[in-house]
Amino acid sequence: MSNFVDYVKIHCKSGHGGAGSAHLNREKYVPKGGPDGGDGGRGGHVILKGDSHEWTLLPLRYTRHIKAERGVNGSKNQLTGAYGEDVYIEVPLGTIAKNEDGEVVAEILEHGQEIILMHGGKGGKGNEHFKSSTNQTPRYAQPGLPGEEGYITFELKLLADVGLVGFPNAGKSTLLAAVSAAKPKIADYAFTTLTPNLGIVDYRNYKSFVMADIPGIIEGAAEGKGLGHRFLRHIERNSILLFMIPADSEDHFQEFKILENELKEYNPELVDKDYIISVSKADLLDDELKVEVAKEFPENRQPLFFSAVTQEGLVELKDAIWKKLHG
């Protein structure tokens, strides 16, 4: 089984509020003994927290229920009960949480960011709050309120500077392995990559950027064919896109148009992202063939040629990516 998980559903329940106390003061020097009960403590929250060291929802894969502590009841001497302990759900950056109606209720984008998913129940009021001129010794207190509960769906959309977009066998994994320390599985058959891989690419003057190798697109992906929406949602969070067309494609520009259309069908906003068109496996082409391939593309969509195997064009490719990111 893959160690990358990008979708989980968990039943979450915050803590019930503690009850207020109805204690009466029975001390010898207190006339008639007044109300002396404290408030109940708030129930524990269920809190989503960002962790930049996590990159998958795998730790939550087999979690079915998450429950926060109940608040402690109030006690005599007007002592307020302790709050129930909060429960933290630590998730990778790029995680969104949806309620049972499919509405996004939280989105984690920064390390240490905290968002309350389920608020703990309010603690009940002690009998001190109910004292009046006509009722000097109330013998009742307010019970605590129940906490919130419900099913929460967590989805991970990878955060990366540049996302690699292409058909299976476009050479995305090979490129990532060539320019970063990532070691994606590489083989000569379609859909070698079934889960996204992230790599940090070193650039000039100790700078770097994050590259995401995303599983290959097939026609109809926006309709759910192949890996469908599972990989398309990861593309949404990438700052720029690098379209990769292999040199041995039968129609390079048409292949680009198919890729572009799949993104548009899934989310029209994706085609508004900055992007770079590239032709991978350029070691298969001589200079004359490169000119012919370039002619297939309009002037404003000229591709960059590179080969991850021979390192040809990789410096120029990284320069173009950096310029798009910071230009």
Side-chain angles (χ1 to χ4, degrees):
M1 187 186 75
S2 169
N3 64 350
F4 183 86
V5 174
D6 56 5
Y7 179 94
V8 293
K9 187 175 183 179
I10 301 174
H11 179 259
C12 300
K13 185 176 182 179
S14 59
H16 195 292
S21 169
H23 189 271
L24 295 177
N25 193 326
R26 300 297 187 185
E27 292 182 16
K28 182 176 181 180
Y29 301 106
V30 179
K32 297 186 178 179
D36 197 35
D39 299 342
R42 167 184 61 75
H45 297 320
V46 176
I47 302 173
L48 198 61
K49 184 174 183 179
D51 185 348
S52 60
H53 300 107
E54 293 286 349
W55 64 280
T56 171
L57 297 176
L58 181 64
L60 302 177
R61 183 69 175 84
Y62 298 106
T63 302
R64 292 288 178 263
H65 303 278
I66 289 178
K67 184 179 180 181
E69 273 191 352
R70 178 189 178 98
V72 177
N73 294 341
S75 60
K76 63 181 180 179
N77 297 325
Q78 298 183 27
L79 292 177
T80 300
Y83 285 2
E85 186 174 349
D86 298 330
V87 171
Y88 288 86
I89 305 173
E90 297 190 346
V91 295
L93 309 189
T95 299
I96 63 172
K98 296 181 178 179
N99 62 19
E100 295 175 77
D101 296 324
E103 300 170 336
V104 175
V105 294
E107 183 176 22
I108 295 295
L109 299 175
E110 299 177 3
H111 179 72
Q113 180 184 359
E114 296 182 8
I115 299 174
I116 298 175
L117 290 178
M118 299 285 175
H119 288 80
K122 189 175 181 180
K125 294 180 178 180
N127 60 352
E128 169 68 19
H129 292 277
F130 302 103
K131 182 175 68 172
S132 68
S133 59
T134 57
N135 187 3
Q136 295 291 320
T137 55
R139 298 174 182 272
Y140 54 85
Q142 188 181 50
L145 298 177
E148 298 176 330
E149 70 173 300
Y151 282 92
I152 297 291
T153 298
F154 300 95
E155 291 183 10
L156 173 59
K157 297 181 180 181
L158 286 182
L159 288 168
D161 294 309
V162 55
L164 307 182
V165 181
F167 282 109
N169 284 352
K172 299 186 297 298
S173 297
T174 305
L175 173 61
L176 187 68
V179 297
S180 76
K183 306 221 178 308
K185 182 180 177 183
I186 300 172
D188 190 24
Y189 56 84
F191 290 114
T192 304
T193 303
L194 296 178
T195 59
N197 293 295
L198 287 177
I200 298 175
V201 180
D202 289 328
Y203 189 59
R204 306 172 192 270
N205 301 320
Y206 304 103
K207 298 183 178 73
S208 64
F209 55 86
V210 179
M211 180 177 284
D213 164 26
I214 298 163
I217 295 178
I218 64 170
E219 279 193 85
E223 299 170 3
K225 293 182 181 178
L227 298 176
H229 291 176
R230 181 177 174 183
F231 74 81
L232 281 171
R233 70 167 170 258
H234 292 298
I235 295 174
E236 289 184 291
R237 287 290 178 77
N238 297 174
S239 298
I240 68 170
L241 303 177
L242 176 64
F243 287 92
M244 292 178 57
I245 316 298
D248 53 3
S249 170
E250 294 183 4
D251 189 329
H252 301 84
F253 185 64
Q254 180 59 27
E255 187 164 320
F256 164 71
K257 293 299 292 181
I258 292 172
L259 293 170
E260 185 181 47
N261 185 65
E262 288 304 321
L263 299 189
K264 185 176 181 180
E265 289 290 321
Y266 174 71
N267 182 350
E269 294 181 6
L270 289 178
V271 296
D272 294 330
K273 283 182 179 288
D274 284 337
Y275 63 85
I276 297 170
I277 303 173
S278 68
V279 174
S280 60
K281 307 180 184 179
D283 53 297
L284 301 177
L285 305 173
D286 58 25
D287 291 341
E288 188 176 332
L289 283 173
K290 288 177 185 175
V291 172
E292 292 301 313
V293 171
K295 286 180 180 178
E296 297 178 26
F297 292 82
E299 280 296 321
N300 63 342
R301 292 187 172 186
Q302 284 296 293
L304 292 173
F305 293 84
F306 75 89
S307 169
V309 175
T310 65
Q311 307 285 301
E312 172 195 345
L314 288 186
V315 172
E316 292 79 5
L317 180 63
K318 289 197 283 186
D319 284 343
I321 290 171
W322 188 263
K323 185 176 179 180
K324 282 283 187 184
L325 288 171
H326 302 280

